């Protein structure tokens, strides 16, 4: 049998009936009112033959008449890939021949341009995808639309969002109309401001949505319709794919978390082993100074959410002593973090409570201060007094870390595991690191001290100039060393400029490249990499491809004046001149403070560059830990416990221990984690401030006042983007250059292939829950919808900045813009 009634379908048939039909079967099993119908299984699609007799018989049992024919691919309506509108639906299909034609169109839609583009984005193999087809009796809709059981824009799980319009609801899902929009808060009675839904129907929809979310275990995207008799029919329910994961459940009411990984260059999610390593590192750091167990930080603690690193700010927000100072302290993390915290300070959920808002209990804090403050004052004081000696001590400590190495080559896997577990405590935060840290802390003080002393006498730009061309900065020294390597590569310019970096890396490993000094560079800096705080990611010593890409860029520098070493020296000269100028100005206006500031600026040139040393130092044993983990992974792979040696990065250390000591087969867990990591890696927008109910604080901030040249619409997909506009009125044959902003009258699913290269989307109509904005959120590009006359107010070629969170489009006038 290639046709199954919807009432026959259960979860175990998902590979046979596809995601949509599986969801409909589950809804029927749960007692929901679903239009009757049947499913043509993937077996028919695979065979390529249409079982006309079986289809006609099922259509006859349905009673004939108008039906909806809808796609139900095996990769459709999944938790991380909705395929919203990417494959065909045919409505009001009547008669067997029309039914056969609609099924064939549905099959063909599996290979349309938009479906191909979406699969490529989602990393879904076409060979693994098959098409089933759902056929259901049409509902004679009086009003219809879409419901999300969580707010898709703010992420708030305590809200239900409903968009509705009279008729069959196709205008809502394809975004061709501005629908009636309702946001229902949990615990608050539904109120209709008019529109096409009454308060009674809104309550009925919300109750249905809550049942479906509970049934499927996650927020749902539900299509629904009220027929002309006022009966509610549920047409589809699938997971909402774009919500950022919820923080772990804790007590104490609503909490607020700030994403902090970006300050360490982490825009991608951490691997599980990387997040686990940092969490253990923090625990061991506190344990080292006597803070363990229940005394560990309850605020300002690292919290993994969606693979990202967040800090719990709740205690500080509720502290009368700290909260007023918090916005300025968070300026380091960007203006949006500061603006969000300022907004939350007026939220009664974060009203002041008794206590100091310290990250540890007050008695523990006093004990910790008494234990560490004298040592810190002595260490930092010595660094400030004798910068050269501090640099020498740091250099010796770094040398000792390099000499530590790892276990013997013939060490057992268990011994390697024990080394990894212990190395964080003894090396990454061991005595050598503290000898380096005093120079780093002194550098940080000297970086900000001149600004405090010269407040009111020097502008921000002048103070930045003083910090230019800073000597003794290990990162700058590394960059200049790579520049010198590129100079050595110059005589082989075509090879290094025109060969793919991955191929050059392979040749380097084989020893097939000309000697340009890269091996010596890797001896010094090979423990570093982009996103290097994640131990799960390769170091340059393992994969030097990024270095070859940088060398190729350096080889394209033809203006000697733009050479990095020349630019660095010019910055140093400007810094020395500005330092002399500010010293004279300070002494003239404030003699005592001016002299102190002049001394601080001179001293800063000797020590401030050391701010990078601590991180550089702890990454050395960190890299050795990674090397040992990969060796463990090789052994687990040999034993059949991992599919690949590198899969160890998708485990936590305790799980690695279970494999090493108990022979636990972790292949299924790794596959699940890898899929989750890939899903999060595709996420384009990560909340900077996140509440424990899932609210992206930036998404609820009051929009800034509209300025001249700013068009106001509705938020469609979060994020900001600036680029040249491309006004497109028909997607057929249209092309969007990478980085351009698509400006269109509307965007139904046929437009979405253009999203692949667009930096953002602006439309004149739409709904936040329509297919266009849904796909934009999945692709991670901002969208602003319902911008009146956008295609007339904006011309192709104009530079626009869209804010998909505030719902605004800033248009810069530009000569040469064209229709």
């Amino acid at each position: 049998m290639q046709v199954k009634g919807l009432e026959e379908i259960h979860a175990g048939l998902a590979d046979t009936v596809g995601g949509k039909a599986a969801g409909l079967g589950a809804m029927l099993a749960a007692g929901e009112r679903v239009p009757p119908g049947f499913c043509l299984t993937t077996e028919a699609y695979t065979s390529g033959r249409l079982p006309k007799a079986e289809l006609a018989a099922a259509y006859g049992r349905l009673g004939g008449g108008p039906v909806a024919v809808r796609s139900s691919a095996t990769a459709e309506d999944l938790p991380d890939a909705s395929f919203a509108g990417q494959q065909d639906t045919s409505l009001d299909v009547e008669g067997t021949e029309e039914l056969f034609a609609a099924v064939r169109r549905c099959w063909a839609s599996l290979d349309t341009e938009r479906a191909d583009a979406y699969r490529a984005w989602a990393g879904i193999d076409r060979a693994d995808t098959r098409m089933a087809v759902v056929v259901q009796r049409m509902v004679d809709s009086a009003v219809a639309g879409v419901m999300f059981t969580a707010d898709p824009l703010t992420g708030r799980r305590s809200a239900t969002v409903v968009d509705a319009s009279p008729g069959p609801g196709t205008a809502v899902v394809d975004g061709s109309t501005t629908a009636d929009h309702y946001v229902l808060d949990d615990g608050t009675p539904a109120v209709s401001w008019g529109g096409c839904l009454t308060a009674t129907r809104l309550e009925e929809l919300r109750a249905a949505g809550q049942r479906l979310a509970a049934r499927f275990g996650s927020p749902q995207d539900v299509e629904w319709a009220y027929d002309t008799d006022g009966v509610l029919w549920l047409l589809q329910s699938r997971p909402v794919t774009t919500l950022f994961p919820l923080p772990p459940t804790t007590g104490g009411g609503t909490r607020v978390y700030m994403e902090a990984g970006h300050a360490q260059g982490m825009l991608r999610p951490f691997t599980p082993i990387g997040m686990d390593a940092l969490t253990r590192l923090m625990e061991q750091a506190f344990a080292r100074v006597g803070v363990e167990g229940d005394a560990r930080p309850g605020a300002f603690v690292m919290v993994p959410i969606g693979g990202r690193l967040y800090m719990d700010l709740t205690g500080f927000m509720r502290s009368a002593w700290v909260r007023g100072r918090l916005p300025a302290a968070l300026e380091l993390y960007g203006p949006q973090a500061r603006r969000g915290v300022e907004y939350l300070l007026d939220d009664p959920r974060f009203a002041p409570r008794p206590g100091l808002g310290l990250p540890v209990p007050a008695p523990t804090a006093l004990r910790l201060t008494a234990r560490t403050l004298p040592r810190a004052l002595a260490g930092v004081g010595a660094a400030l007094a004798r910068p050269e000696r501090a640099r020498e001590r740091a250099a010796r400590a770094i040398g000792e870390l390099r000499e530590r190495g790892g276990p013997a080559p013939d060490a057992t896997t268990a011994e390697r595991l024990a080394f990894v577990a212990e190395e964080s405590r003894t090396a990454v935060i061991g005595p050598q690191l503290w000898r380096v840290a005093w120079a780093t802390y002194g550098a940080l003080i000297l970086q900000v001290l001149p600004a405090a002393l010269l407040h009111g006498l020097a502008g921000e730009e002048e103070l930045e100039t003083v910090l230019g061309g800073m000597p003794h900065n290990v990162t700058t020294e590394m960059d200049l060393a790579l520049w010198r390597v590129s100079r050595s590569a110059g005589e082989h310019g075509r090879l290094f400029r025109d060969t793919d970096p991955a191929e050059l890396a392979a040749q380097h490993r084989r020893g097939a490249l000309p000697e340009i000094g890269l091996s010596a560079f890797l001896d010094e800096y090979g423990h570093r990499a982009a996103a290097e705080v994640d131990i799960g990611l390769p170091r340059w010593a393992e994969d030097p491809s990024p270095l070859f890409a940088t060398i190729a860029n350096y080889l394209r520098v033809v203006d000697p004046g733009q050479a990095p070493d020349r630019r660095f020296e010019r910055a140093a000269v400007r810094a020395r001149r500005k330092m002399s100028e500010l010293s004279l100005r300070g002494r003239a206006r404030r003699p005592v403070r001016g002299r102190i500031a002049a001394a601080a600026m001179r001293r800063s040139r000797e020590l401030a560059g050391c701010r990078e040393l601590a991180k550089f130092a702890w990454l050395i044993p960190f890299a050795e830990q990674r090397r040992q983990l990969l060796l463990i992974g090789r052994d687990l792979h040999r034993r059949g416990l991992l599919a690949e040696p590198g899969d160890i990065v998708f485990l936590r250390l305790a799980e690695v221990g279970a494999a090493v000591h108990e022979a636990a087969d972790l292949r299924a867990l790794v596959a699940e984690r890898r899929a989750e990591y890939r899903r999060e890696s595709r996420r384009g927008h990560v909340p900077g401030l996140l509440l424990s109910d899932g609210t992206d604080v930036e998404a609820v901030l009051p929009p800034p006042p509209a300025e001249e040249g700013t068009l106001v619409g509705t938020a469609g997909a979060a994020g900001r983007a600036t680029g040249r506009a491309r006004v497109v009125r028909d997607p057929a044959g249209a092309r969007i250059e990478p980085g351009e902003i698509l400006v269109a009258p509307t965007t139904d699913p046929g437009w979405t292939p253009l999203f692949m290269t667009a930096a953002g989307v602006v439309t004149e109509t739409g709904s936040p829950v329509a297919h266009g904005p849904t796909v934009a959120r999945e692709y991670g590009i901002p969208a602003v919808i319902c911008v009146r006359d956008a295609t007339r107010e904006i011309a192709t070629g104009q530079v626009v900045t869209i804010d998909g969170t505030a719902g605004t489009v800033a248009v810069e006038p530009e000569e040469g813009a064209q229709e």
Side-chain angles (χ1 to χ4, degrees):
M1 294 287 290
Q2 298 182 35
V3 172
K4 289 188 175 294
L6 293 181
E7 69 281 357
E8 302 176 67
I9 293 173
H10 52 81
L13 294 176
D15 286 342
T16 302
V17 300
K20 186 177 278 95
L24 292 169
M27 291 163 67
L28 276 170
E32 300 295 345
R33 188 181 295 109
V34 174
F38 57 86
C39 176
L40 178 64
T41 68
T42 58
E43 181 183 345
Y45 173 82
T46 302
S47 72
R49 294 186 299 274
L50 197 64
K52 292 184 178 181
E54 200 174 344
L55 263 179
Y59 180 55
R61 289 193 297 273
L62 200 58
V67 293
V69 180
R70 311 172 72 194
S71 65
S72 184
T74 53
E76 197 170 350
D77 292 1
L78 302 178
D80 56 346
S82 70
F83 274 83
Q86 300 303 301
Q87 285 134 183
D88 273 9
T89 291
S90 298
L91 303 179
D92 291 309
V93 174
E94 192 163 3
T96 55
E97 290 303 320
E98 285 298 317
L99 173 61
F100 300 157
V103 170
R104 290 191 180 98
R105 288 195 300 272
C106 205
W107 280 359
S109 72
L110 193 61
D111 293 302
T112 60
E113 180 186 4
R114 66 178 184 259
D116 287 343
Y118 188 98
R119 273 193 300 273
W121 166 81
I124 295 173
D125 191 339
R126 170 63 181 83
D128 297 333
T129 307
R130 300 172 306 285
M131 177 68 80
V133 180
V134 170
V135 179
Q136 289 178 280
R137 185 178 296 155
M138 284 291 299
V139 175
D140 185 12
S141 302
V143 59
V146 180
M147 168 173 58
F148 279 63
T149 64
D151 192 321
L153 295 179
T154 68
R156 184 159 56 104
R157 304 314 202 265
S158 58
T160 298
V161 176
V162 179
D163 275 34
S165 68
T170 52
V172 174
V173 296
D174 68 20
S176 60
T177 187
T178 301
D180 295 338
H181 184 67
Y182 308 86
V183 178
L184 313 176
D185 291 314
D186 284 358
T188 303
V191 176
S192 175
W193 43 260
C196 58
L197 288 177
T198 64
T200 300
R201 287 186 171 181
L202 287 170
E203 287 289 5
E204 185 179 15
L205 282 167
R206 175 163 58 183
Q210 290 174 340
R211 290 195 304 271
L212 291 171
R215 170 69 178 78
F216 291 112
S218 67
Q220 295 291 296
D221 167 0
V222 183
E223 291 185 23
W224 54 269
Y226 277 99
D227 64 19
T228 53
D229 293 326
V231 176
L232 173 63
W233 296 88
L234 301 179
L235 311 179
Q236 172 181 289
S237 186
R238 63 186 175 203
V240 181
T241 58
T242 57
L243 296 173
F244 193 72
L246 282 172
T249 302
T250 59
T254 304
R255 306 194 73 81
V256 57
Y257 303 90
M258 184 184 71
E259 198 279 321
H262 71 279
Q264 291 293 336
M266 279 300 298
L267 300 180
R268 69 182 84 188
F270 279 84
T271 61
I273 197 71
M275 183 64 77
D276 186 56
L278 280 186
T279 302
R280 287 186 298 106
L281 189 64
M282 182 179 181
E283 291 176 351
Q284 289 167 337
F286 276 98
R288 192 175 186 87
V289 292
V291 181
E292 298 185 78
D294 294 338
R296 284 181 301 189
F300 204 75
V301 67
M302 291 194 300
V303 180
I305 308 173
R308 273 76 179 188
L309 183 66
Y310 279 80
M311 291 191 296
D312 188 343
L313 300 181
T314 314
F316 295 131
M317 291 288 296
R318 292 173 175 164
S319 166
W321 182 63
V322 175
R323 65 197 321 264
R325 301 172 175 87
L326 195 56
L330 296 181
E331 188 71 40
L332 171 68
Y333 293 92
Q336 285 299 94
R338 175 170 185 157
R339 186 166 171 249
V341 167
E342 289 173 337
Y343 172 78
L344 291 177
L345 289 177
D346 293 327
D347 190 319
R349 292 174 295 180
F350 301 106
R353 296 183 181 181
L356 298 177
L358 296 172
V360 294
T364 303
L366 290 174
R367 194 167 61 250
L368 179 62
T369 301
R371 178 179 296 183
T372 59
L373 184 59
R375 184 181 178 191
L377 289 175
V380 173
L384 294 175
R386 303 283 298 276
E388 185 176 354
R389 290 281 299 276
R391 295 198 307 269
E392 291 172 354
R393 284 194 296 268
R396 286 196 298 271
I398 289 172
E400 292 172 16
L401 289 173
R402 290 189 187 278
E403 293 171 0
R404 286 179 63 89
D410 60 350
T412 65
T413 300
E415 288 170 340
R416 297 187 192 283
L417 179 62
F419 170 85
V420 172
E422 182 67 7
E423 188 72 350
S424 290
R425 188 181 65 81
T426 58
V428 179
I429 56 171
Q432 290 90 356
L433 184 72
W434 286 109
R435 281 152 50 196
V436 176
W438 305 134
T440 297
Y441 293 149
L444 293 172
I445 292 171
L446 285 175
Q447 184 171 324
V448 300
L449 184 59
L453 293 169
L454 294 172
H455 181 70
L457 297 178
E460 185 174 335
E461 185 175 344
E462 290 180 303
L463 293 167
E464 287 291 327
T465 301
V466 170
L467 298 176
M470 192 68 72
H472 314 302
N473 185 314
V474 68
T475 301
T476 303
E477 291 169 351
M478 177 185 73
D479 296 339
L480 293 175
L482 187 59
W483 167 255
R484 291 191 292 273
V485 171
S486 75
R487 296 303 87 194
S488 299
E491 59 182 295
H492 312 282
R494 177 172 296 181
L495 170 66
F496 288 100
R497 189 172 52 246
D498 300 337
T499 306
D500 181 80
E503 172 58 26
L504 288 172
Q507 292 186 33
H508 170 77
R509 285 190 286 268
R510 295 196 303 267
L513 287 180
E515 175 55 45
I516 59 173
L518 186 64
S519 296
F521 177 90
L522 291 174
D523 287 343
E524 184 73 18
Y525 302 108
H527 63 289
R528 307 208 72 174
E532 59 198 0
V533 295
D534 184 351
I535 201 172
L537 298 179
R539 312 292 104 172
W540 285 335
E542 301 169 57
D543 179 15
S545 300
L547 300 178
F548 285 114
T550 302
I551 289 170
N553 288 333
Y554 281 163
L555 290 173
R556 296 184 181 101
V557 177
V558 295
D559 180 0
Q562 293 304 309
D565 51 354
R566 298 273 188 91
R567 294 169 61 186
F568 180 80
E569 182 54 36
R570 287 198 300 271
V573 170
R574 287 195 299 270
R576 288 190 289 268
R577 288 174 178 169
K578 182 59 67 174
M579 191 168 63
S580 298
E581 178 187 333
L582 294 179
S583 296
L584 291 172
R585 187 190 306 170
R587 288 172 180 170
R589 298 187 187 178
R590 298 177 184 171
V592 176
R593 184 180 293 187
R595 285 184 172 83
I596 298 173
M601 285 187 289
R602 288 195 301 271
R603 191 58 54 90
S604 72
R605 301 293 297 177
E606 298 181 54
L607 192 62
C610 294
R611 60 167 295 169
E612 300 284 330
L613 273 181
K615 182 181 179 186
F616 180 87
W618 69 259
L619 286 170
I620 294 171
F622 214 53
E624 181 60 32
Q625 285 181 293
R626 173 178 167 79
R627 192 175 75 86
Q628 297 301 323
L629 283 167
L630 293 177
L631 291 172
I632 295 170
R634 185 184 304 173
D635 180 62
L636 297 179
H637 169 60
R638 180 185 57 78
R639 293 164 59 188
L641 304 177
L642 291 179
E644 297 291 339
D647 285 350
I648 196 168
V649 304
F650 295 105
L651 301 173
R652 302 184 181 98
L653 198 63
E655 294 160 348
V656 175
V660 170
H661 298 300
E662 302 166 25
D665 187 339
L666 301 172
R667 288 174 293 184
L669 177 61
V670 164
E672 179 184 333
R673 295 260 180 85
R674 185 188 294 277
E676 181 181 353
Y677 182 79
R678 286 175 174 168
R679 181 170 63 249
E680 284 302 322
S681 296
R682 293 196 303 266
R683 189 180 297 278
H685 173 74
V686 175
L689 282 176
L690 181 70
L691 300 187
S692 50
D693 66 357
T695 300
D696 178 350
V697 175
E698 184 179 348
V700 299
L701 290 178
E707 301 176 357
E708 185 177 354
T710 297
L711 306 177
V712 178
T714 300
R720 288 172 57 88
T722 298
R724 293 194 178 277
R726 174 73 64 173
V727 179
V728 178
R729 293 183 173 85
D730 185 342
R735 191 175 80 175
I736 302 293
E737 296 294 332
E740 288 185 327
I741 306 295
L742 170 62
V743 182
T746 187
T747 55
D748 68 10
W751 291 76
T752 55
L754 299 176
F755 292 11
M756 297 296 289
T757 51
V761 178
V762 178
T763 67
E764 294 177 332
T765 64
S767 156
V769 299
H771 289 329
T774 295
V775 174
R777 290 193 292 271
E778 289 186 325
Y779 284 177
I781 60 173
V784 180
I785 62 176
C786 302
V787 180
R788 185 174 179 178
D789 298 328
T791 59
R792 289 191 290 273
E793 295 287 343
I794 302 171
T796 293
Q798 282 186 290
V799 175
V800 298
T801 297
I802 71 170
D803 189 328
T805 304
T808 59
V809 182
V811 184
E812 299 180 17
E814 181 173 318
E815 295 182 5
Q818 56 190 13
E819 283 291 338

